[in-house]
Amino acid sequence: MIRTAAVLAVVGVSWAAPVTAQQVVPASSELVRTISLSATGTVRRAPDQAVVSLAVETRAPTARQAAQQNAQKMDAVIKAIREAGIPAERIQTEGYNLNPDYTFVNGGPGRPNEQRLVGYVADNTVRVVVDTIGRTGAVVDAAIAAGANRANGISYQLRDPDGARRDALKLAVAAAQKDAQALAEAAGQTLGPLLQLSTEFQEPPRPMFAMAGARAEMPAAAPTPVEPGQMEITATVTVIYRLQGAQ
């Protein structure tokens, strides 16, 4: 995918009046002609890592009970994830919350409405990086079977995003050079040296696929399907070339 925008610029000095004694005469009156344009290069890569967000949420009458129950269940979930082949360094706690749980009570005629404390909610979320995307579904299933009751979603990424970015840059530069050559020829000019080159890199989106609720009630014979698709990595370059008169 290539998008371009071009600008032809002529920079120079002209004289409408005789040079006076106070003026400095330029060494040359040659016009400096330049052409500037932008081009975009895009590469597509199949992601090779999946990132899964899994959580355990527990409710109990007291904060201590909610926290203890949550800790026990999350320990079991992490153990199951490890047994599914995920090393410890690929498992990271990304959120923990312990909050009071209120219910709304309608006071009825002549009585004010109120909120009543009914207990506490503990929520612990872990981020799991799966290096083999084909095992992502099995990891999710193992975590849910062990007690995870919320799956926040799956996103995908590349182990080597810099390599893909550089490939996109190469495509963008090559496209910019070809477009500059075409524009120069169309204007009856000769493309001169490259004067300036700058880049703008667009971070590839990491699509997050929501996973609705827990799957503990689903039969074990139906594993979670995972389809990563492809990612687009895009880089944009802006170039300025000098233009020379036709040879």
Side-chain angles (χ1 to χ4, degrees):
M1 179 184 298
I2 298 171
R3 295 191 295 270
T4 61
V7 176
L8 177 63
V10 179
V11 181
V13 179
S14 62
W15 294 268
V19 177
T20 66
Q22 289 76 25
Q23 291 178 313
V24 178
V25 180
S28 173
S29 61
E30 180 185 358
L31 297 176
V32 178
R33 299 177 177 88
T34 63
I35 183 171
S36 64
L37 61 88
S38 296
T40 299
T42 299
V43 296
R44 292 174 177 83
R45 296 285 186 271
D48 48 24
Q49 287 183 327
V51 181
V52 186
S53 178
L54 299 162
V56 171
E57 182 179 295
T58 54
R59 297 174 183 271
T62 68
R64 181 181 178 85
Q65 289 174 325
Q68 289 179 338
Q69 292 175 17
N70 192 282
Q72 292 172 356
K73 290 187 176 182
M74 182 52 80
D75 283 343
V77 168
I78 292 175
K79 181 180 178 181
I81 294 173
R82 293 287 306 279
E83 290 176 350
I86 306 301
E89 62 269 19
R90 295 298 193 187
I91 306 171
Q92 181 183 43
T93 299
E94 64 177 0
Y96 183 87
N97 295 285
L98 178 61
N99 298 306
D101 186 17
Y102 294 96
T103 186
F104 180 79
V105 179
N106 192 334
R111 300 179 59 185
N113 299 331
E114 63 174 320
Q115 284 186 328
R116 290 182 184 174
L117 179 67
V118 295
Y120 291 83
V121 181
D123 185 284
N124 193 345
T125 304
V126 292
R127 178 180 183 269
V128 183
V129 178
V130 185
D131 287 326
T132 304
I133 289 183
R135 294 190 52 79
T136 304
V139 171
V140 172
D141 291 340
I144 291 175
N149 52 13
R150 195 175 73 246
N152 297 325
I154 301 176
S155 63
Y156 300 100
Q157 62 188 25
L158 297 171
R159 287 192 185 91
D160 182 23
D162 288 339
R165 177 180 62 85
R166 293 187 185 103
D167 288 343
L169 282 170
K170 291 176 182 178
L171 289 178
V173 171
Q177 184 177 18
K178 290 179 180 179
D179 289 343
Q181 182 66 47
L183 287 168
E185 292 175 359
Q189 302 290 305
T190 299
L191 190 65
L194 178 65
L195 301 178
Q196 184 174 321
L197 173 64
S198 60
T199 182
E200 177 183 340
F201 172 63
Q202 298 179 16
E203 183 72 23
R206 296 182 180 180
M208 177 70 75
F209 299 93
M211 304 178 65
R215 300 182 66 257
E217 72 282 1
M218 297 182 67
T224 300
V226 173
E227 296 294 338
Q230 285 194 326
M231 302 175 66
E232 286 191 354
I233 298 89
T234 299
T236 300
V237 297
T238 299
V239 296
I240 299 178
Y241 281 93
R242 184 185 181 98
L243 286 178
Q244 299 171 345
Q247 301 296 320

